[in-house]
Every structure is written in structure tokens, then in C-alpha cells.
Amino acid sequence: MKRISRMMLASITIVLAALLYPPAAYGNWDGAIYPSSYKSIMIFSLSFIILIAVSYLVLKLYINHLRRIIHGEQEFSKNVLDHTHLFIWAVHSDKRILRINKYVEWLTGIQEADVVGKKYDELMYIKEYYGRIVELMDNALAMNFVDHQEITLICNEQGDYKTFLFRTTVITGISGNPDVFIVCGIDIHERKLYEKMLQNSYQELEGIYEEVAVTKEEMQVQMHELLLNQDKLRSSEEKFRLASLGSGAVIWDTDPSTGNYDVSDRLFDLLGYRRDEIETTAEQWRELLHPDDLIATEVVRQAYLNGETPVYEAEYRMIKKNGEHLWIQARGMLLRNSDGCPGRFSGSMIDITEQKNYELQLQRSYKALEETYEELAVTQDELRENYDMLVENDRLLRRSEERYKLVAESSNGGIWEIDFIRNRRFYSPRWFQLLGYRYEDDMPSERLEHVMHPEDVKRVSEELKAAQAGEKELFECEYRLLKKNGEYNWFIGRGKVLFDELGMACRMAGSDVDIHELKLSQERLQHLAYYDALSDLPNRQYLLEELEYYFAYSLGKSALFFVDTDNFKYINDTLGHKFGDQLLKQVSLRLSSLVREEGMLFRLGGDEFVILQRDIEREAQAEDLAEILIQGFKEPFRINDSDLYVSISMGISFYPKDGVSGEEILKNADVAMYKAKETGKGRYMLFSPSFLQTFNDRVNVEKYLREAIKKEEFVLHYQPQVSLRTGKIVGFESLIRWNSPVLGLVSPLSFVKVAEDSRLIVPIGEWVLLRSCSFAKGLHDQGIGNYKISVNISVVQLVQDEFVDMVIRILGETGLNPIYLELEITESIIIESFDIVIPKLEFLKRLGVQIALDDFGTGYSSLSYLQQMPITTLKIDRTFIEQVPIEEDKRSLARAIVLIGRRMGLVVVAEGVETRRQLDYVKRAKCDVIQGYLISKPLKDEEAKELLRSQRVFDI
């Protein structure tokens, strides 16, 4: 590419030379330049240049296209090698490892990055555990290649052994010499297992063949029993017909050799088709299956036919005539003929759409119980009068019994039958199994008569009579049955009555399905919907429904308490969520013990509780209860061998004075609670309509504050800090300003507290820190100078686990040297969370970040605490500066604070200096740095830079 570029550049140079100096191109030039010839030369030259440029551009585009193709091929090859289940290992001819794919990494535990470029025979781990691979490599380098060689290797990930089929090959280089040697292996472990299983199947088949021979001899003896079996055939067919009508299941039978199906009419009723509208072939069956379930259903079917599962059982969706989906559960068993080959495949299908809906409602947490009803369809030809007819009847009898046995064994429900004429009952083995009995157990008749729960007898009897009278097409009822262990389980019974030619009920057949777990799940779901999981108190949903019911039917008065735990969010952030949960549990118990029968306690969520006091005669009753609650929380909570003092704030609203709906009463109590917090916490307030304006203002501030973060409506101003010794600016304090398009200019005093309570201060504080560091770094990059930037930090930010990481990340992103960043922390923050805050500040200080103790003198920290704080700067609160003594007072607090700072080696900053008199005072106190409106108001970004460029020295 570079050679072509030089050739094109030379050509363009020659053309330009010819254009500018014709004699260089024409040897017979007579010294005169004719306009026509010169114009022709220019046209030719420009055309030649354009042609060369276009050719160069096309050639460059083509080369870039080739590079992209090569890169794509390389990426494709890498993805194929990494995502296939092949063992790929490539080495150079000098035994250095060139490449191993992801499958080799998974198998051996070796990472490609650790071994590429190393010789494989120098890796002891490979030689010890994978010596056969090393042997293949050595043979391949000696040009002795193998094909289809079986080797067993250990899997590092699972510790199991896997069998592979290996092949070695070589890739020659451009020169034709061997360059890369490759060992490729495919996992044949499962194939080996299947071969072993197949061998076992052959042995089982041989045993079956022997049993068939014995069975053939026995059949000759059973021929004499054919006449006796005719009565059994009639009885069996009658049972099949009753069960088929009563269970609601679909009975199917298929011949594996043809694939054709024989299904009962129930399937056509479920799908909405007439029998003549669809064919009962395998192809038609697949068209009725949902496309997403087709492959999975076929896999399950083949697995059963291959003998991998004892019973065929599958769930899939079928498409109804109206386009809707119907969930089906199919069960069946295979009957093999005397040759051991599949002879008949029969079973049942039930509609489980309702069960699937339950599973969806319970969020896949509870497994709906299967509802199965066996419907048997047996056809009978008239008996022949000769021996051939007896043989045919024997065949039909055996086939009917086999079908009945297959359906009964594959059903989850217990089948029962009632003979109203003979007053007899029949129960299937599965029915006894559901009650904990074996079919062989001797169950007392008196227990069988009292198996139903006494409370359900009347209701079931009424449903049964209605079915016998023909008032209902199907008998369906839920009831409890007594199990062998003495416990009652819930069942759902469904059945159908058979009427004789006179219209009298003669028989009834059906099944019982165990729905006990479903009932328990519904009860648990009901409890979860109306009770709080942590405290087991009634929740918000319970409260709203209780209020709606009470307000609808009560004419009395009531009080609603909105209770909030003071400083819970701070406790949760500093001591952890597990500690917070323990505290909430104890708060719930204490509230319950204090409220007792005076009201009903609810937990809304978090640290918020509600008390409903019904039917009060006067408001003083609510105030008496509030006083009991306030006093009750003056005792400490004992958690993890520590005493924790927690207070509560309450707001109280009254029905119907403060509202006539649950939402209104609850909102007004919430408003009153916020008013109680604003007035000092640990108290209660009765709702007043005047509270609404303050509350709404706070809500509006929080609402627009969230929008301000997204729309970046905040700006930073920077107030200079000046050295009293030199009069020069040494740094700035960044101060946030919010100019809302809706609320206008909002004071930080109004929105910072709201931001802290709502935790919005975390993203806002991160934004302030990022912009401040960018500002300081910008001063350095623009050559203005290196200046310290001070940023105020909230306690909410400081207790965050990722606070230190956030500061380090911003310093890294902006490139600011940590020594030019100062974090301002108020004295009260450090005292309240000393053990959590100090380690973070010490770490940042070791990085070079400066720590300033803001508003010093307003807290209650002792000198011992002060000495443990990793601070570099003391900032005297403006309240000490505003009240300047008329005469010099050697005992002034400002002078004392400066003296403390000097002794500790700290820089002392006086903020809020606005008059010359205050300036003289802080000078006499010997402060190091001052800031305030006497020096400058907070400045915008460009204003601060202009002030620095002026290099002003202040006259102080």
C-alpha cells in the first residue's frame, strides 16, 4: 500500500512539473507558450491527476474491504472454536502452544492466556494428568498422525472421566512446510453409555422371549375358562363405559405400526371440532399441537418408547377450533406383543388448562394437582354362536382388561363406582393409595362409611341427590376425606350418573383427586396478600379494605394514627438492613403491647405503621393513647447486646371530621406525622388543614427535584477563599444552586433537607463532586493555576458503602490530584456515626484528600473526639463571626478555636466574613483563611476564572 502511494505521488509530481514548467515535459519547446497548447496541457494534467486520485481511493477502499473480511473470518473462526463441544489444541512445530479453545479450558481448568507461547512438555500439570494428549502431540510432530483413537480423560470441572475420539493433523505454511499441528477430539462419552444400555436391552429382550414361550403354553390351559370370562367381560365393559362417561378424560389408542389414532369423543368436545372435521392420523395430530411444544412432546414420546421412562407422561398445548390454546396432560403405557415389539399404545388425556392458570396465578411457586378422569370406550361385537365367536370374545376380553389396567395405572385420581340398585361401592387401588392404604389392607367397613368429614356430609349428599335426580349433568364437589394417619385431606370428586331405560339412576362412576396442597396454597396466598411478611401484622391492603368496610357501615367516630420510626433510614444505612429488620420486629411487638385492645395495628411498609381506633366518643381518647405510645418508646431496645433508643413521630386524623374515605384519612394522618417530625420528632400532631400547604410544598419540591436531576437544572457557584497572610485566593468552596423552571430560584435551605430525606442527595452529591473536581482540574489545564476546591458532603452520602469508591472514581475520571480536593463534613455527622465515618475519612486522607470540619463549635464533640478525627481544616461557624465583641476579648470562642487548631496543626478558616469589623476580628484571632461576601459573593464558573486571571491581591 505504501509503495502504491509513493508511485501515485511521483506521478502527480511529474504532472504538476509539466503543468508549471512545460520545457521539463517538451524537449522541442521554442520558448513561447501558446494559450491553446497550454490549456490542453492543463486539461490533460488535471484529468490525469483526478484519474490517479480516484484509482487510489478505489484501491484503498478495496484493501479496507479485504481487511474487514479477513477480520470477520478470524472472529467467526474464533467463535466457532470457542462455542463448539470439540477438544481443539494447536501447537507450533517447536512445541509452543498456539491455541486452545474454551472447551479445553473447561475440561482441563487451564486458561489459554496462561499457556500460549509455552512448550507443552514443560507444563508438569499437563504431563501428569493429560499424558495421552502429550503423546499424541509428540507423535504428530513426528508426522505420525492418528484417526479415530479413543482416549479417556479426567474432567477438571466435575472430577469425572470422559471418553473422546481423537484425530491429529497438520496445517502447512505458505512455504509448504509443516507449521501448525492440531489435536482435535469429540466427546463420545454419552455414546458409550448408550451402547452399554443397548447391550443391556438385548439381554432383557432375551428374557422376555423366554417368558413368551412359557405364556404360550399357559394360554392353552386358559381356553377352558372362556365361557366363565364372558360375564367378566360384560361387567368390565359396563365399568369402562361408566368411568368413561363420568371422568371427563380423553381415552386414546394408537397402533405404532400405522401411527393411526382411535380417540374418544371427549377430545372433539374439548377442541370444538366434529369428528368428521379432523382425521385421526399422526400428521393431523401434529398440526393440532402448539408449534412450541411439538419437539418437546416428540422427545418425551420417543424416550418412553425407547424404555427410558416407566410411564409415558407429557404436557402440551393443543389448538382449538376457535384458535385458543388448551393445555393437555397425556399419560399412557405401551403393550408389546408376543414378539416383544410394540403392539398397542394406549392411555388418557385430561384438560389441565385450569391447573396451568393456577400455576401462573401462584407465580410458578405451587404445582397444581393433576385432575384426571379415565374414560374408557370399549366396543363389542355380538358374540358368535360357534367356537370362532368364543375365541374373538376372549381376545376382546383380554384387550379390554389390558386397556382398563393401563388407564387405571396411569391415572393420578382414585376411581370409584356406586351401584344404587345393589347398594354396592367399588374403589380402585389408586383410591386407597390416596388415603394412605394399600389395596391389600383390610379397611374396616365402619371406617369406610365415616371416611368423609362430618361437616362435608350434608353438602356432598345434596350434590349427590341433585346428580341422581338429573338436575346436574355432572356431580362435582370438594370435600375432606380421612386418611389412614388420622388426618383429613381435601379432594375434588367428579362423576356421572348412568340412568336405565325408565330414567332411574342405576349407577354412578367418577374419581377423587387430591387437592390438599392446592387448598393450603390458597390459604397461604390469602395470608400473604393481607399480612406483612416481616412483622406478621395486617398490611396496607388489609387496612384499606378495613377502612372501606368500617366507613360504609359505621356511624361512629374513629381516629387514625400514622406512626413513623424516627431516624430509621439512618439506622438502616449505618447498622445494616439485618439490624434494621430486627429493630422493626421489636417495634412491631412494642406497639402491639401498647395498643392492646385500644385499636388495630397495621404495618404499611418500611418503618411506617398505622393504628385504627374505632368508635371513640371524644378526641381526647386518641391523645391519651398517643401519650402512652410516646412514653412507651422511651425505654431502649435491646439488640445484639446493645441498647438502642428510638422515638416515634405520629400524626392523627379523625373520621369523619378530617375525611370520609380511607385514602383521605390516611393521607391527612401522614401529613400530620410529617409536621410532627418538622417540630422536633418524638411527638404527635393532630391534623389541621393548614398542614396541607406545607406538605404539598414539600411534595412538589421532591417531585421537581427528581426532574431537576434528569434535566440537569443545577448549577455550581464558587466562593473564593483568601489567605489572610498573602491576600491571595487559595481555593474555592463549591455551592449548589437550583433554578427550577416551575418553582423559580429555590434556596438550598429548602431543597437540601428534602433531598437528604428522599435519598436524592446521593446522585446530586455525586454530580456536585464531579463538576467541582472538573472545575479545579480545568483551572490547572488552562494554565490559571492550582487551587483547592471544597465540597460539602452529606451524612447520607458518607454512610453509603460505595462512597470511597465513588470519590476515587471521580478523581480518576477528572485527573485531579487528590491534594486539591477538600471534603467538608459537619461536626454533628462525625459524632453521630463516628465508628462508620472515621475509617472512610482516614483512607481518603491517606490518598491526599483534605478533610475539613465544617461549622465547628455548634456540635458537642469533646477534644478527645477531635483528636481522633482525621481532619486537616477547622471551619469556624459564621455564628461566632456575626457577634463580634466591641472590644478585644482574649476569652473569645473564635480565638479559642484558632488556638485549638494551631495546637493540632490544622488550617483554620473563618466563613461568613461580611464586614471590615468582622475581618479585623478574625485577623486578631489569627485565622489562616477567610471567605464571605466581604471578599466576594459566590461566582459563576467564568466569573471565578476572570477573577483569577486578574491576579487580584485583596487588601486585608
Side-chain angles (χ1 to χ4, degrees), residues 785-798:
N786 292 321
Y787 295 91
K788 178 184 66 178
I789 187 72
S790 296
V791 181
N792 290 281
I793 301 298
S794 166
V795 64
V796 180
Q797 295 175 262
L798 199 54

Side-chain angles (χ1 to χ4, degrees), residues 122-252:
E122 295 178 355
L123 301 175
M124 299 306 298
Y125 176 78
I126 299 297
K127 294 177 69 176
E128 180 177 355
Y129 291 98
Y130 301 96
R132 295 295 304 275
I133 301 300
V134 174
E135 182 180 340
L136 287 178
M137 292 286 191
D138 292 339
N139 291 336
L141 291 176
M143 304 304 288
N144 295 324
F145 303 104
V146 298
D147 196 6
H148 298 90
Q149 180 172 343
E150 289 188 8
I151 297 177
T152 301
L153 300 177
I154 186 172
C155 177
N156 180 70
E157 181 71 18
Q158 301 174 347
D160 299 331
Y161 286 89
K162 288 184 174 290
T163 304
F164 291 82
L165 195 63
F166 277 99
R167 180 177 183 269
T168 57
T169 186
V170 64
I171 299 176
T172 59
I174 298 176
S175 63
N177 296 323
D179 186 17
V180 178
F181 295 84
I182 297 176
V183 174
C184 178
I186 183 170
D187 187 350
I188 62 171
H189 188 70
E190 291 187 1
R191 191 181 78 184
K192 285 291 184 180
L193 295 178
Y194 288 139
E195 289 176 355
K196 185 176 180 180
M197 291 171 59
L198 184 60
Q199 182 67 27
N200 294 336
S201 298
Y202 289 151
Q203 296 176 358
E204 292 178 2
L205 285 175
E206 292 176 358
I208 293 174
Y209 291 151
E210 296 176 359
E211 293 178 1
V212 169
V214 175
T215 304
K216 185 175 181 180
E217 296 177 359
E218 294 177 352
M219 290 177 62
Q220 295 176 354
V221 178
Q222 296 173 355
M223 181 64 70
H224 300 288
E225 301 178 2
L226 289 175
L227 294 175
L228 297 177
N229 289 339
Q230 290 181 6
D231 292 336
K232 294 182 180 180
L233 173 63
R234 295 190 187 95
S235 177
S236 176
E237 289 175 346
E238 195 172 66
K239 289 179 180 180
F240 293 160
R241 183 158 54 89
L242 286 172
S244 174
L245 293 174
S247 65
V250 177
I251 306 302
W252 55 268

Side-chain angles (χ1 to χ4, degrees), residues 347-557:
S348 65
M349 296 188 303
I350 60 172
D351 178 5
I352 60 168
T353 304
E354 182 179 355
Q355 174 186 329
K356 284 294 183 180
N357 291 335
Y358 273 126
E359 292 177 358
L360 181 62
Q361 179 183 359
L362 296 175
Q363 300 177 349
R364 303 172 65 184
S365 300
Y366 306 97
K367 181 179 180 181
L369 302 176
E370 299 179 359
E371 299 177 331
T372 58
Y373 299 94
E374 316 306 338
E375 182 181 19
L376 305 174
V378 181
T379 58
Q380 175 186 356
D381 298 327
E382 293 186 3
L383 298 175
R384 303 177 186 176
E385 296 179 356
N386 51 29
Y387 178 77
D388 294 336
M389 183 174 62
L390 292 177
V391 173
E392 178 65 19
N393 285 341
D394 179 65
R395 186 183 67 82
L396 291 176
L397 173 61
R398 292 183 178 279
R399 180 177 177 182
S400 176
E401 289 179 344
E402 289 169 354
R403 282 186 176 182
Y404 182 81
K405 183 178 180 182
L406 286 172
V407 173
E409 290 179 354
S410 61
S411 172
N412 274 343
I415 297 175
W416 47 263
E417 178 187 346
I418 303 175
D419 188 337
F420 295 119
I421 296 175
R422 298 179 180 85
N423 193 23
R424 295 180 179 176
R425 295 173 182 264
F426 164 77
Y427 300 97
S428 69
R430 177 61 177 162
W431 189 88
F432 286 95
Q433 184 181 357
L434 290 174
L435 295 183
Y437 294 92
R438 293 181 302 174
Y439 190 66
E440 298 81 11
D441 289 346
D442 184 16
M443 185 176 182
S445 58
E446 55 273 6
R447 177 151 191 170
L448 192 60
E449 293 176 359
H450 298 88
V451 72
M452 188 173 295
H453 196 285
E455 297 178 0
D456 300 333
V457 171
K458 181 179 179 182
R459 176 167 46 84
V460 175
S461 178
E462 292 174 353
E463 292 290 331
L464 193 61
K465 289 179 180 178
Q468 287 182 257
E471 299 174 3
K472 292 186 175 182
E473 184 178 354
L474 288 175
F475 165 76
E476 182 173 349
C477 189
E478 294 181 0
Y479 40 79
R480 288 161 288 182
L481 297 180
L482 182 64
K483 298 182 67 178
K484 184 178 181 180
N485 60 8
E487 298 178 354
Y488 282 97
N489 268 24
W490 278 97
F491 289 82
I492 181 169
R494 288 181 178 173
K496 188 173 181 63
V497 177
L498 179 65
F499 298 91
D500 59 16
E501 60 276 5
L502 299 179
M504 300 297 293
C506 58
R507 287 178 180 271
M508 182 177 182
S511 63
D512 287 334
V513 177
D514 190 341
I515 60 169
H516 193 67
E517 288 298 326
L518 178 60
K519 280 287 187 180
L520 295 179
S521 299
Q522 290 174 345
E523 292 175 2
R524 286 194 293 267
L525 184 63
Q526 178 77 6
H527 187 81
L528 290 174
Y530 288 95
Y531 285 86
D532 173 58
L534 180 66
S535 63
D536 204 35
L537 291 174
N539 61 13
R540 184 186 186 93
Q541 183 64 30
Y542 196 140
L543 170 66
L544 294 178
E545 293 185 11
E546 184 72 17
L547 291 177
E548 182 180 358
Y549 179 83
Y550 179 77
F551 294 161
Y553 297 100
S554 176
L555 300 178
K557 298 179 181 179

Side-chain angles (χ1 to χ4, degrees), residues 222-352:
Q222 296 173 355
M223 181 64 70
H224 300 288
E225 301 178 2
L226 289 175
L227 294 175
L228 297 177
N229 289 339
Q230 290 181 6
D231 292 336
K232 294 182 180 180
L233 173 63
R234 295 190 187 95
S235 177
S236 176
E237 289 175 346
E238 195 172 66
K239 289 179 180 180
F240 293 160
R241 183 158 54 89
L242 286 172
S244 174
L245 293 174
S247 65
V250 177
I251 306 302
W252 55 268
D253 180 35
T254 180
D255 186 349
S257 62
T258 63
N260 291 333
Y261 284 83
D262 182 16
V263 297
S264 63
D265 293 337
R266 179 60 177 163
L267 176 64
F268 301 97
D269 295 339
L270 292 175
L271 298 181
Y273 289 99
R274 297 193 308 273
R275 180 176 284 275
D276 58 355
E277 289 183 317
I278 54 177
E279 299 177 357
T280 55
T281 62
E283 291 75 14
Q284 181 68 62
W285 188 266
R286 293 188 184 94
E287 292 180 3
L288 291 175
L289 287 182
H290 194 285
D292 294 342
D293 301 336
L294 186 59
I295 296 177
T297 303
E298 186 62 25
V299 169
V300 174
R301 177 187 175 92
Q302 290 301 322
Y304 171 68
L305 294 178
N306 294 337
E308 298 175 14
T309 57
V311 178
Y312 167 68
E313 185 173 4
E315 293 184 1
Y316 47 81
R317 289 164 290 181
M318 298 191 72
I319 303 174
K320 299 173 66 175
K321 185 176 181 180
N322 59 8
E324 296 178 354
H325 295 155
L326 189 72
W327 273 101
I328 293 294
Q329 182 187 67
R331 291 173 61 91
M333 297 187 71
L334 180 68
L335 179 65
R336 299 182 183 274
N337 55 28
S338 59
D339 298 331
C341 299
R344 185 154 302 280
F345 191 19
S346 303
S348 65
M349 296 188 303
I350 60 172
D351 178 5
I352 60 168

Side-chain angles (χ1 to χ4, degrees), residues 496-743:
K496 188 173 181 63
V497 177
L498 179 65
F499 298 91
D500 59 16
E501 60 276 5
L502 299 179
M504 300 297 293
C506 58
R507 287 178 180 271
M508 182 177 182
S511 63
D512 287 334
V513 177
D514 190 341
I515 60 169
H516 193 67
E517 288 298 326
L518 178 60
K519 280 287 187 180
L520 295 179
S521 299
Q522 290 174 345
E523 292 175 2
R524 286 194 293 267
L525 184 63
Q526 178 77 6
H527 187 81
L528 290 174
Y530 288 95
Y531 285 86
D532 173 58
L534 180 66
S535 63
D536 204 35
L537 291 174
N539 61 13
R540 184 186 186 93
Q541 183 64 30
Y542 196 140
L543 170 66
L544 294 178
E545 293 185 11
E546 184 72 17
L547 291 177
E548 182 180 358
Y549 179 83
Y550 179 77
F551 294 161
Y553 297 100
S554 176
L555 300 178
K557 298 179 181 179
S558 64
L560 192 74
F561 296 67
F562 199 108
V563 184
D564 186 87
T565 308
D566 295 330
N567 300 321
F568 176 75
K569 291 181 180 179
Y570 174 75
I571 295 172
N572 213 29
D573 289 339
T574 55
L575 300 179
H577 293 282
K578 184 176 181 180
F579 189 94
D581 288 345
Q582 294 180 23
L583 175 61
L584 287 176
K585 290 180 181 179
Q586 292 200 22
V587 169
S588 302
L589 293 174
R590 183 167 297 184
L591 285 173
S592 299
S593 65
L594 294 173
V595 174
R596 296 184 181 179
E597 302 300 326
E598 290 291 324
M600 187 173 183
L601 178 63
F602 303 84
R603 181 181 177 223
L604 291 191
D607 60 331
E608 296 176 341
F609 298 85
V610 169
I611 301 170
L612 175 61
Q613 193 178 23
R614 301 184 183 90
D615 301 326
I616 62 173
E617 297 179 357
R618 48 192 176 82
E619 295 183 359
Q621 292 177 245
E623 295 188 59
D624 293 342
L625 178 58
E627 287 292 345
I628 292 174
L629 296 176
I630 294 294
Q631 295 300 321
F633 272 76
K634 291 187 177 180
E635 291 295 325
F637 290 92
R638 188 72 176 175
I639 302 177
N640 297 339
D641 298 327
S642 299
D643 288 337
L644 180 67
Y645 288 88
V646 176
S647 61
I648 55 174
S649 297
M650 289 178 290
I652 306 174
S653 60
F654 296 95
Y655 170 84
K657 185 182 75 171
D658 298 325
V660 294
S661 68
E663 290 290 350
E664 186 179 8
I665 289 291
L666 187 61
K667 183 194 73 172
N668 290 341
D670 189 13
V671 170
M673 184 273 296
Y674 270 105
K675 189 65 176 179
K677 281 185 174 292
E678 290 178 0
T679 56
K681 300 181 181 179
R683 61 186 65 194
Y684 69 89
M685 294 291 290
L686 304 182
F687 172 75
S688 171
S690 62
F691 296 168
L692 286 174
Q693 184 60 45
T694 304
F695 181 79
N696 291 336
D697 291 343
R698 179 187 178 89
V699 171
N700 279 336
V701 169
E702 182 175 344
K703 170 187 174 183
Y704 292 114
L705 199 58
R706 296 182 185 275
E707 297 179 2
I709 297 174
K710 299 177 183 178
K711 298 178 181 179
E712 295 189 354
E713 296 175 1
F714 300 109
V715 294
L716 289 183
H717 288 184
Y718 304 94
Q719 188 169 37
Q721 296 177 335
V722 176
S723 170
L724 276 175
R725 185 174 60 84
T726 63
K728 295 181 178 181
I729 297 175
V730 294
F732 293 88
E733 179 180 0
S734 60
L735 302 170
I736 190 170
R737 297 291 184 264
W738 178 24
N739 190 8
S740 169
V742 179
L743 304 177

